[in-house]
């Protein structure tokens, strides 16, 4: 004989019930079965809510009652022909009328006792089991209905009643031995006292009902049918990569179910464990899936961690004080106080110094617990021997579970290291001597990130997921996204990186997709996105709290650069081609680097100098190796190099600058490039990365632009000024040409001083043949004396800048 239990989602409506009956029909072909059913989906919640409203004289309870009636009547009408409905509708109506009487009593008396509440809660299963049994009769199945209250006998606590196993097993054994029907339908969750008064087995009690019956008849198998394909490595609603666990032990299943795996109710396993009755967790909506098999042994499977689970809405209570040390009885008094208040303890941890005890309980009980504990220890608190109980709320418990964990070293280290990398603060830790479970208390807001990070570490192919938020999707940003899209499969297969773009923003709109934006049509999504707002962008990224989050700034905005610190403090890495932050006040530059290290959030800005050239990375490695920088000579502006490589007496300066901007070599405001400010920022950043304290005002800027041009405030006036002063620019060209020199805008750093300006470069100089928009940097160091370390290549343009940003993202992926 097999026992099958179907949960609330499995019997939520007529369509689902039809699927359930198909499963029952197939399962009963070759052996007898007992079928335990829950209330129709969400009915129990509605029953209890209606009772609460009635007890406070809120007449809206009548509307909810009508909704409950309508749902059940609709199922009858959908599954039973009109000619056969009369008797079923009459009986259903009688049950509803009785329920209505109970509600009227609550309304008149303004009272809702545990006994009444248990009786009201029982109607969900009474109605569902009766209706389903009648549908099966109509379909000519060999079935019978049996009220579980006639079999399962409990204490008189009414809610969460304790089962009298001796009487219950005797009743079940007697009934099923005499039963001749192939199928028995029973309501789950409900039971009765020896006097016949209705009790309930607690939320999720239908699982328990099925387990009690399976144990009593020594069933071949207990099947739990639900809306997922077994017990998963993590909650699949939170961890999309989670997979069903094919085979798991009773002990592992109990640990996972205790720590929030809601597929199975924790007490379910106890009645079948000692009789070694297998449990099979199956999916009603995909019955061909294998599901999860739960047995005593797991056939030698050596996977150390079987699952990761968590419990929400946890409060951590801490009792501490020097007066506790060496004094026996503190723990006893604490636990007795909670017992008296009927408060369940979920987690316990105590410092070896005996200075403190931490316990985890449900958030809803925290206030009651604090009052009771402070009262118990009032004398010790008044005499300063212990502190008033400390309550921390909005926490969650996350747990690694696996029987083989005890045979594998380093699991705790891997767990805590991964949480640390993702800036998940651990409030308390608990691990039993059996080493089947490692639990940590963390902030609720970090639970999703923690689950995904740990699942990636313990269950997934070593593919690291990076979650990107891109601000600025113009010329460079568009090419960056195109490169990501092109290389996505390569990155996953060769570098084991799964890079997802979660958010994109320009100055007008922004768009987010937590599952990852399709980079084939991101422009369409962005056009129809919400209005761009820098603060809302920031808050959304923080609230999503995804692991390995990276904020990418592809703007030239001062306002955007001011938000870097907050991103880094929230463990969100920053990659930027925006030079403003690194060229701001030295203290701010240093502060960003300190925060980056403190919160384990990389701050990378390779494209600040040389676009895609590895200038900053090379410089960092040189300094890290112990070498010292004495002098830097560089052409750092691809735009200025392009301008002066193409400007001559055969064209105009205005036209060449216009061409440079059109081809993406200049900043949106070309005056930043031509004024020398951009180059000054770059040499400042190189000087700082070399270990020198400098400010932007310390850079000598020898600008070649006329004063009027420098004072323009918009692009239109700027370009007009270039036309007006064409003779000035032609004179600059002539002076260089007369000396057989080429014009290069050179940045120099030496002996702690830096300058930028236009220079005449003779033909024998390293910079003379620097073509197009190329950059070149010469580093003179202790080790590179006669021949400087030279880096040369394309230093401007959307494609190379995008590739530099791409490279920084890859660096973080390897971090």
């Amino acid at each position: 004989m097999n026992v099958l239990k179907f949960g609330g989602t499995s019997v939520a409506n007529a369509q689902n019930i039809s699927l359930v009956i198909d499963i029952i029909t197939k399962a009963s072909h070759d052996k007898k079965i007992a079928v335990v059913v829950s209330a129709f989906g969400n009915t129990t919640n509605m029953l209890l809510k209606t009772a609460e409203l009635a007890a406070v004289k809120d007449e809206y309870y009548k509307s909810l009652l009508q909704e409950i009636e309508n749902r059940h009547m609709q199922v009858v009408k959908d599954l039973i022909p009109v000619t056969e409905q009369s008797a079923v509708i009459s009986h259903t109506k009688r049950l509803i009328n009785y329920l209505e009487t109970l509600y009227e009593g609550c309304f008149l008396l303004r009272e809702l006792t545990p006994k009444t509440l248990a009786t009201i809660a029982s109607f969900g299963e009474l109605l569902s089991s009766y209706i389903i049994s009648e549908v099966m009769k109509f379909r000519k199945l060999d079935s019978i209905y049996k009220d579980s209250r006639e079999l399962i006998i409990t204490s008189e606590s009414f809610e969460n009643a304790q089962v009298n196993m001796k009487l219950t097993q005797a009743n079940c054994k007697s009934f099923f031995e005499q039963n001749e029907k192939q199928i028995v339908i029973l309501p789950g969750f409900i039971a009765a006292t020896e006097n016949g008064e209705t009790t309930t087995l607690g939320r999720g009690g239908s699982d328990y009902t099925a387990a009690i019956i399976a144990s009593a008849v020594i069933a071949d198998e207990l099947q739990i049918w639900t809306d997922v394909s077994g017990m998963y490595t993590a909650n699949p609603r939170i961890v999309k990569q989670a997979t069903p666990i094919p085979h798991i032990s009773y002990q592992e299943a109990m640990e996972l179910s205790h720590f929030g795996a809601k597929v199975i109710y924790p007490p379910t396993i106890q009645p079948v464990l000692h009789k070694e009755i297998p449990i099979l967790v199956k999916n009603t909506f995909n019955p061909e899936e294998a599901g999860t098999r739960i047995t005593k042994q797991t056939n030698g499977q050596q996977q150390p961690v079987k699952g990761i689970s968590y419990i929400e809405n946890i409060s951590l209570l801490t009792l501490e004080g020097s007066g506790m040390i060496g004094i026996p009885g503190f723990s006893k008094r604490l636990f007795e106080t909670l017992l008296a208040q009927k408060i369940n303890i979920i987690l316990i941890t105590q410092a070896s110094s005996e200075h403190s005890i931490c316990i985890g309980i449900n958030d809803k009980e925290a206030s009651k617990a604090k009052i009771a504990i402070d009262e118990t220890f009032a004398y010790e608190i008044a005499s300063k021997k212990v502190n008033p109980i400390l309550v921390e709320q909005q926490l969650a418990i996350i747990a690694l579970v696996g029987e083989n964990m005890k045979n594998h070293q380093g699991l705790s280290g891997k767990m805590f290291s991964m949480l640390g990398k993702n800036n998940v603060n651990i409030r308390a830790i608990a691990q039993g001597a059996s080493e089947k479970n490692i639990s940590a208390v963390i902030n609720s807001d970090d639970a999703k990130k923690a689950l995904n990070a740990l699942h990636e570490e313990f269950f997934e192919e070593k593919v690291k997921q990076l979650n990107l938020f891109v601000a600025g999707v113009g010329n460079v940003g568009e090419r960056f996204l195109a490169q990501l899209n092109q290389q996505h499969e390569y990155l996953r297969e060769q570098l084991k990186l799964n890079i997802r773009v979660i958010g994109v923003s320009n100055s007008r709109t922004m768009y987010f997709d937590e599952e990852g934006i399709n980079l084939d049509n991101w422009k369409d999504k962005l056009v129809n996105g919400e209005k761009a707002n820098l603060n809302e962008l920031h808050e959304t990224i923080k609230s999503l709290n995804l692991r390995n989050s990276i904020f990418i700034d592809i703007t030239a905005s001062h306002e955007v650069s001011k938000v870097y610190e907050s991103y880094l403090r929230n463990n969100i890495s920053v990659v930027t081609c925006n030079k403003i932050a690194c060229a701001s006040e030295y203290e701010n530059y240093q502060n960003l680097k300190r925060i980056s290290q403190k919160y384990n959030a990389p701050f990378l800005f390779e494209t600040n100098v040389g676009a895609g050239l590895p200038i900053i990375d090379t410089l960092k490695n040189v300094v890290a190796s112990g070498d010292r920088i004495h002098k830097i000579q560089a052409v750092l502006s691809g735009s200025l190099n392009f301008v002066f490589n193409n400007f001559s007496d055969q064209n105009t300066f205005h036209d060449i600058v216009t061409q440079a901007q059109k081809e993406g070599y200049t900043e949106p405001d070309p005056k930043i490039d031509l004024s020398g400010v951009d180059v000054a920022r770059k040499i400042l950043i190189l000087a700082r990365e070399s270990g020198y304290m400098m400010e932007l005002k310390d850079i000598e800027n020898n600008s070649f632009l006329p004063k009027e041009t420098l004072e323009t405030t918009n692009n239109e006036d700027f370009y007009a000024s270039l036309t007006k002063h064409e003779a000035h620019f032609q004179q600059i060209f002539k002076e260089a040409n007369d000396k057989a020199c080429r014009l290069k805008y050179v940045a120099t750093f030496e002996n702690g001083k830096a300058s930028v300006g236009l220079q005449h470069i003779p033909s024998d100089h390293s910079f003379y043949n620097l073509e197009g928009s190329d950059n070149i940097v010469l580093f003179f160091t202790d080790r590179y004396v006669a021949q400087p370390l030279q880096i040369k290549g394309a230093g401007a343009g959307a494609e190379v800048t995008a590739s530099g940003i791409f490279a920084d993202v890859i660096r973080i992926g390897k971090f």
Side-chain angles (χ1 to χ4, degrees):
M1 176 179 172
N2 285 344
V3 177
L4 286 67
K5 176 264 175 179
F6 292 90
T9 52
S10 297
V11 294
N13 52 49
Q15 182 181 357
N16 292 3
I17 292 170
S18 292
L19 295 175
V20 166
I21 292 177
D22 290 341
I23 293 169
I24 292 171
T25 302
K26 185 176 180 180
S28 63
H29 279 165
D30 54 0
K31 62 173 60 181
K32 288 184 176 182
I33 62 172
V35 179
V36 176
V37 296
S38 295
F40 294 167
N42 203 41
T43 297
T44 302
N45 286 336
M46 290 183 67
L47 288 166
L48 299 178
K49 179 64 176 176
T50 306
E52 292 169 2
L53 292 174
V56 295
K57 281 192 171 293
D58 186 336
E59 295 204 2
Y60 182 64
Y61 87 87
K62 295 178 182 178
S63 297
L64 290 183
L65 177 60
Q66 186 62 54
E67 186 178 340
I68 293 168
E69 178 178 347
N70 292 343
R71 289 184 65 188
H72 290 84
M73 290 299 185
Q74 189 61 52
V75 172
V76 173
K77 293 173 183 177
D78 288 343
L79 294 176
I80 298 177
V82 176
T83 55
E84 307 291 331
Q85 289 176 8
S86 179
V88 181
I89 288 177
S90 295
H91 184 79
T92 302
K93 186 63 178 176
R94 281 196 295 274
L95 288 173
I96 296 293
N97 288 342
Y98 181 24
L99 180 60
E100 183 177 16
T101 301
L102 292 172
Y103 285 138
E104 287 175 350
C106 295
F107 185 86
L108 292 171
L109 296 174
R110 290 183 179 240
E111 184 178 73
L112 184 58
T113 65
K115 180 178 178 180
T116 303
L117 195 60
T119 304
I120 289 171
S122 71
F123 276 82
E125 277 72 16
L126 290 173
L127 285 162
S128 66
S129 58
Y130 168 71
I131 292 170
I132 291 171
S133 70
E134 291 300 313
V135 174
M136 293 177 67
K137 285 181 185 178
F138 163 70
R139 297 196 180 184
K140 309 301 182 186
L141 294 175
D142 185 24
S143 63
I144 188 174
Y145 173 80
K146 182 65 174 176
D147 191 333
S148 300
R149 294 176 295 184
E150 298 172 11
L151 301 177
I152 301 177
I153 307 303
T154 71
S155 64
E156 295 183 357
S157 56
F158 299 106
E159 299 175 280
N160 295 301
Q162 300 299 307
V163 176
N164 184 324
M165 286 296 183
K166 184 176 180 181
L167 285 176
T168 297
Q169 293 203 347
N171 290 344
C172 291
K173 187 175 181 182
S174 173
F175 170 76
F176 283 101
E177 283 179 349
Q178 296 176 39
N179 170 58
E180 296 180 355
K181 296 290 185 179
Q182 196 73 2
I183 305 167
V184 179
I185 304 295
L186 305 104
F189 178 59
I190 64 173
T193 66
E194 288 188 63
N195 296 325
E197 295 178 304
T198 298
T199 61
T200 59
L201 302 179
R203 300 304 294 268
S206 292
D207 286 355
Y208 196 28
T209 301
I212 290 167
I213 293 170
S215 175
V217 302
I218 313 180
D220 298 320
E221 189 174 75
L222 168 60
Q223 297 178 11
I224 306 294
W225 290 82
T226 182
D227 58 353
V228 291
S229 298
M231 298 188 79
Y232 277 64
T233 48
N235 187 333
R237 294 179 179 87
I238 298 175
V239 181
K240 303 302 180 183
Q241 298 80 17
T243 57
I245 306 170
H247 200 178
I248 194 171
S249 72
Y250 292 128
Q251 295 294 331
E252 290 167 330
M254 281 194 289
E255 291 282 358
L256 283 172
S257 60
H258 174 70
F259 279 91
K262 298 176 182 178
V263 173
I264 192 167
Y265 184 53
T268 299
I269 299 165
Q270 287 292 349
V272 299
L273 186 153
H274 297 297
K275 296 183 180 179
E276 298 186 16
I277 298 169
I279 303 174
L280 185 61
V281 182
K282 297 273 285 180
N283 189 342
T284 302
F285 309 104
N286 199 349
E288 301 307 315
E289 289 282 342
T292 297
R293 191 168 186 80
I294 306 171
T295 61
K296 182 178 180 180
Q297 303 294 333
T298 55
N299 299 328
Q301 294 182 8
Q302 295 302 310
Q303 175 71 17
V305 179
K306 285 293 182 69
I308 307 169
S309 198
Y310 82 113
I311 308 176
E312 295 178 291
N313 304 317
I314 295 296
S315 286
L316 191 66
L317 276 59
T318 303
L319 181 67
E320 64 179 349
S322 58
M324 295 171 59
I325 301 173
I327 307 299
F330 271 92
S331 299
K332 177 176 181 291
R333 291 169 63 195
L334 174 63
F335 299 140
E336 283 181 344
T337 300
L338 296 173
L339 174 63
Q341 297 295 323
K342 297 183 180 179
I343 295 173
N344 182 48
I345 299 174
I346 301 169
L347 174 142
I348 304 170
T349 181
Q350 181 173 12
S352 59
S353 65
E354 301 181 44
H355 181 262
S356 67
I357 303 172
C358 292
I359 57 171
I361 63 173
N362 190 284
D363 266 339
K364 293 180 180 178
E365 298 177 316
S367 178
K368 179 171 66 172
K370 177 173 174 54
I371 292 170
I373 295 170
D374 282 346
E375 183 177 330
T376 297
F377 293 97
Y379 170 75
E380 287 84 357
I381 292 170
S383 57
K384 308 295 185 183
K385 293 181 178 179
V386 300
N387 300 326
I389 195 78
L390 174 66
V391 179
E392 298 172 83
Q393 294 188 285
Q394 296 182 331
L395 302 174
I397 299 174
I398 192 164
L400 291 189
V401 173
E403 275 197 314
N404 287 319
M405 284 165 51
K406 60 187 174 183
N407 299 320
H408 289 76
Q409 295 179 338
L411 292 178
S412 298
K414 288 175 70 176
M415 176 183 180
F416 299 134
S417 174
M418 180 56 67
L419 294 177
K421 285 180 181 178
N422 284 278
N423 203 35
V424 176
N425 187 35
I426 298 172
R427 306 296 305 139
I429 298 168
Q431 180 175 8
S434 65
E435 298 185 42
K436 294 186 179 74
N437 177 308
I438 306 171
S439 301
V441 180
I442 63 175
N443 292 326
S444 291
D445 290 344
D446 289 330
K448 180 178 180 180
K449 178 166 66 173
L451 281 168
N452 278 277
L454 291 175
H455 194 274
E456 183 179 88
E457 176 68 22
F458 289 102
F459 290 103
E460 298 171 33
E461 180 189 5
K462 294 302 178 183
V463 175
K464 186 175 183 179
Q465 184 181 102
L466 304 180
N467 295 294
L468 275 52
F469 300 87
V470 183
V473 284
N475 205 10
V476 175
E478 181 177 347
R479 284 161 174 76
F480 170 66
L481 295 178
Q483 291 175 9
L484 275 181
N485 197 23
Q486 176 187 318
Q487 293 299 104
H488 186 268
E489 291 305 316
Y490 173 85
L491 294 171
R492 187 178 183 89
E493 295 300 321
Q494 301 299 320
L495 300 185
K496 303 303 179 186
L497 293 176
N498 176 25
I499 299 181
R500 309 188 310 162
V501 177
I502 307 300
V504 291
S505 175
N506 57 26
S507 60
R508 298 176 300 280
T509 56
M510 57 187 185
Y511 174 76
F512 299 90
D513 185 343
E514 194 173 346
E515 301 305 315
I517 296 170
N518 184 340
L519 295 183
D520 290 326
N521 63 357
W522 66 267
K523 289 183 182 179
D524 296 334
K525 298 291 187 183
L526 182 58
V527 167
N528 297 307
E530 58 188 293
K531 185 177 180 181
N533 181 289
L534 188 58
N535 290 332
E536 289 182 14
L537 172 69
H538 178 234
E539 290 304 317
T540 300
I541 296 172
K542 285 202 305 180
S543 64
L544 285 172
N545 200 18
L546 299 175
R547 70 193 188 281
N548 304 322
S549 290
I550 306 174
F551 174 69
I552 300 177
D553 179 11
I554 315 180
T555 74
S557 167
H558 180 73
E559 293 302 314
V560 174
S561 72
K562 290 197 295 187
V563 193
Y564 294 173
E565 179 177 343
S566 180
Y567 282 121
L568 295 171
R569 286 187 182 278
N570 285 277
N571 189 235
I572 298 166
S573 302
V574 174
V575 169
T576 180
C577 61
N578 183 348
K579 293 174 278 292
I580 292 174
C582 289
S584 63
E585 294 77 9
Y586 183 80
E587 179 55 36
N588 183 58
Y589 158 81
Q590 281 291 83
N591 185 49
L592 291 175
K593 297 198 121 190
R594 285 194 297 266
I595 293 169
S596 169
Q597 291 182 337
K598 180 178 179 179
Y599 292 94
N600 201 35
F603 172 44
L604 301 182
F605 43 90
E606 182 66 65
T607 49
N608 275 197
V609 181
L613 294 177
I615 295 173
I616 293 176
D617 192 52
T618 301
L619 176 57
K620 285 180 178 178
N621 291 334
V622 168
V623 174
S625 72
D627 204 354
R628 290 184 303 167
I629 307 296
H630 300 300
K631 178 180 178 182
I632 303 172
Q633 283 185 313
V635 173
L636 297 174
S637 173
S639 55
L640 283 170
N641 201 40
F642 176 88
V643 166
F644 286 110
N645 278 337
N646 289 279
F647 177 54
S648 71
D649 53 7
Q650 303 300 310
N651 50 36
T652 69
F653 196 70
H654 170 279
D655 290 347
I656 295 301
V657 175
T658 301
Q659 182 184 350
Q661 184 173 32
K662 184 177 180 181
E663 295 188 21
Y665 294 130
T666 72
E667 297 285 347
D669 177 2
K671 190 175 72 173
I672 294 175
D673 294 282
L674 272 69
S675 67
V677 171
D678 186 62
V679 178
R681 286 172 176 166
K682 291 175 180 178
I683 194 65
L684 174 65
I685 291 168
L686 293 183
R688 287 175 171 179
E689 290 296 302
S690 301
Y692 293 88
M693 293 177 59
M694 291 191 72
E695 300 289 355
L696 187 60
K697 62 182 176 59
D698 298 329
I699 311 294
E700 182 183 350
N701 186 349
N702 301 305
S703 179
F704 65 90
L705 291 178
K707 185 173 183 292
E708 180 184 340
T709 306
L710 285 171
E711 291 175 351
T712 59
T713 58
N714 56 66
N715 283 3
E716 183 180 354
D717 291 345
F718 174 76
Y719 278 111
S721 180
L722 295 185
T723 301
K724 179 179 178 180
H725 294 281
E726 178 63 26
H728 168 76
F729 300 118
Q730 289 293 341
Q731 180 62 31
I732 290 174
F733 171 76
K734 184 177 184 304
E735 289 174 0
N737 194 50
D738 289 347
K739 296 177 182 178
C741 292
R742 302 184 73 176
L743 290 166
K744 301 293 178 184
Y745 202 87
V746 179
T748 304
F749 171 77
E750 187 173 11
N751 298 323
K753 295 182 178 181
S755 64
V756 298
L758 201 59
Q759 294 185 15
H760 294 167
I761 303 298
S763 60
D764 60 348
H765 195 285
S766 302
F767 295 170
Y768 185 85
N769 292 314
L770 194 65
E771 299 297 333
S773 61
D774 286 359
N775 281 190
I776 187 170
V777 179
L778 306 179
F779 290 117
F780 297 83
T781 75
D782 285 349
R783 297 169 189 163
Y784 296 92
V785 182
Q787 292 295 325
L789 173 61
Q790 177 177 301
I791 302 170
K792 178 181 178 182
E799 287 289 351
V800 293
T801 304
S803 68
I805 295 166
F806 202 147
D808 273 348
V809 171
I810 300 303
R811 287 186 183 93
I812 293 176
K814 294 178 178 180
F815 181 69

